[in-house]
Amino acid sequence: MKQEPAAQSTPPPSPSPNASVQSPQEDGDPPALWIFGYGSLVWRPDFAYSDSRVGFVRGYSRRFWQGDTFHRGSDKMPGRVVTLLEDREGCTWGVAYQVQGEQVSEALKYLNVREAVLGGYDTKEVTFYPQDTPDQPLKALAYVATPQNPGYLGPAPEEAIATQILACRGFSGHNLEYLLRLADFMQLCGPQAQDEHLEAIVDAVGTMLPCFCPTEQALALV
């Protein structure tokens, strides 16, 4: 299997050239911020928010290239979690959460520990296109793991990534649960949401899982 597939999805049509990017804060409104999640944040944000929207960002592809020694792995056996790779033709689906007022500082404080301190992620501004209103994009904050962080593992064949995921567990649970919950989210987004890298790893796990443990134990992992 090729190690690095081409563009992973065909996103919905681009908004019209005259469409304006919405600012996270309007005059007279309380301070607000949109936070884009594309990994575990899509099912477990664990911070208070005012609104959430499913959608996508352009110019990035999701990859299981970041090592995790806390949430989904250990120092001896780091798990594999996702980051964003700049990709001109890429499209990554996820969830954007709006935080307002006191929620902003509380969310950022929490995510600084969860994503930056424990995860090795940096922050980056992205343009988020809601699924229902792609002609009304939003500026959002995303957490991205770059090759410069010490936990970065980089590319590997999907079969090797699947093997690593099946072997790892951390304080937040088994690495397999992380993979399958992300795959479930993508299915809920509909046929327009594609992720060839994610699908290839899920397929590889499906061929390997019977060799690792009986069905009953496999189901217990998730």
Side-chain angles (χ1 to χ4, degrees):
M1 181 179 295
K2 58 184 179 181
Q3 181 169 326
E4 174 56 21
Q8 62 181 11
S9 64
T10 302
S14 300
S16 64
N18 295 326
S20 60
V21 174
Q22 294 183 2
S23 170
Q25 179 179 356
E26 301 291 344
D27 293 340
D29 290 341
L33 175 70
W34 287 91
I35 298 170
F36 176 65
Y38 57 93
S40 61
L41 287 179
V42 304
W43 72 84
R44 189 175 64 85
D46 280 355
F47 57 83
Y49 57 90
S50 302
D51 191 12
S52 65
R53 302 183 187 180
V54 173
F56 57 91
V57 297
R58 298 181 186 276
Y60 295 93
S61 292
R62 177 169 34 217
R63 294 290 182 268
F64 276 79
W65 289 3
Q66 175 66 4
D68 188 338
T69 60
F70 184 84
H71 297 291
R72 301 293 176 172
S74 64
D75 291 333
K76 293 183 178 180
M77 298 181 65
R80 284 261 183 177
V81 292
V82 293
T83 185
L84 293 180
L85 173 70
E86 290 191 11
D87 178 357
R88 185 175 179 180
E89 302 298 326
C91 176
T92 297
W93 285 76
V95 180
Y97 300 94
Q98 185 188 51
V99 290
Q100 301 183 32
E102 294 182 355
Q103 293 176 343
V104 176
S105 60
E106 293 173 357
L108 292 179
K109 181 179 179 180
Y110 168 72
L111 290 172
N112 179 62
V113 176
R114 171 174 167 174
E115 303 294 335
V117 176
L118 297 177
Y121 289 74
D122 294 325
T123 55
K124 187 180 185 67
E125 185 181 73
V126 296
T127 301
F128 173 79
Y129 298 89
Q131 183 178 28
D132 297 333
T133 56
D135 59 335
Q136 300 176 22
L138 307 163
K139 289 296 184 183
L141 185 72
Y143 288 81
V144 179
T146 66
Q148 287 70 44
N149 85 82
Y152 191 78
L153 297 178
E158 279 82 4
E159 294 86 350
I161 294 177
T163 300
Q164 187 171 354
I165 286 174
L166 283 169
C168 294
R169 176 188 290 274
F171 287 101
S172 294
H174 202 286
N175 206 174
L176 178 60
E177 177 194 20
Y178 179 98
L179 172 72
L180 298 183
R181 285 189 180 275
L182 189 54
D184 286 344
F185 165 77
M186 288 296 291
Q187 289 185 344
L188 292 175
C189 290
Q192 72 275 22
Q194 301 294 322
D195 189 328
E196 294 180 3
H197 178 69
L198 173 62
E199 293 170 3
I201 297 172
V202 171
D203 288 345
V205 165
T207 62
M208 297 176 183
L209 194 55
C211 300
F212 274 76
C213 56
T215 303
E216 293 80 2
Q217 295 181 26
L219 292 175
L221 294 176
V222 295

